[in-house]
């Protein structure tokens, strides 16, 4: 079992145990080369983002299409911080996600908005 440390809000660190099997579906595109996302299922992450209406919620919070939320200055500065923020959003909105779901969503955001390097 792998353990990932996550960043929630600004300082709070949490531990999330992720099974070594990852998601049941295979990744179809690279998540910009970050090793923590290598088992992520990007299609599943895209589906969850649509199903949970993430873009609509972000648009209500920051206006426009909601994409400005993805680069708050200095707040999300690593892949672990990104995964932790996805977990934080899910927890705050009472979305019961498995660790693999959080990883899948974070991998899509990594690919589309953040592009962190290992």
């Amino acid at each position: 079992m792998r353990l990932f440390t996550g960043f929630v809000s600004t300082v709070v660190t949490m531990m999330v145990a992720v099974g070594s099997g990852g998601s049941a579906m295979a990744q179809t595109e690279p998540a910009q080369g970050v090793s923590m996302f290598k088992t992520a299922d990007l299609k599943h992450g895209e589906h969850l983002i649509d199903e949970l209406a993430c873009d609509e919620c972000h648009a209500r919070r920051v206006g426009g299409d909601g994409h400005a939320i993805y680069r708050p200055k200095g707040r999300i500065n690593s892949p672990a911080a990104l995964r932790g923020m996805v977990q934080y959003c899910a927890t705050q909105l009472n979305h019961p996600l498995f660790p693999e779901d959080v990883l899948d969503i974070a991998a899509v955001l990594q690919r589309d908005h953040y592009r962190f390097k290992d």
Side-chain angles (χ1 to χ4, degrees):
M1 203 179 279
R2 296 180 309 221
L3 293 179
F4 295 117
T5 56
F7 178 83
V8 176
S9 191
T10 56
V11 188
V12 180
T13 302
M14 65 184 182
M15 298 297 288
V16 178
V18 178
S20 60
S23 296
M25 301 171 78
Q27 178 176 327
T28 58
E29 304 171 50
Q32 298 296 324
V34 175
S35 61
M36 77 180 298
F37 298 126
K38 70 181 179 179
T39 62
D41 179 349
L42 296 173
K43 292 224 181 275
H44 183 242
E46 291 167 349
H47 169 76
L48 288 171
I49 289 169
D50 289 341
E51 182 180 300
L52 298 173
C54 297
D55 290 336
E56 291 84 355
C57 181
H58 294 165
R60 285 191 304 273
R61 294 180 70 98
V62 299
D65 64 3
H67 289 178
I69 204 166
Y70 296 122
R71 277 295 192 181
K73 187 175 181 180
R75 190 163 183 191
I76 308 299
N77 56 14
S78 71
L82 174 58
R83 193 198 59 254
M85 186 52 69
V86 171
Q87 181 63 59
Y88 175 79
C89 285
T91 300
Q92 291 300 308
L93 297 171
N94 294 319
H95 294 311
L97 298 177
F98 290 106
E100 295 86 359
D101 297 334
V102 171
L103 189 69
D104 294 347
I105 292 169
V108 171
L109 298 178
Q110 160 66 13
R111 181 196 66 197
D112 295 349
H113 300 285
Y114 290 93
R115 299 179 182 94
F116 294 116
K117 305 288 184 208
D118 268 334

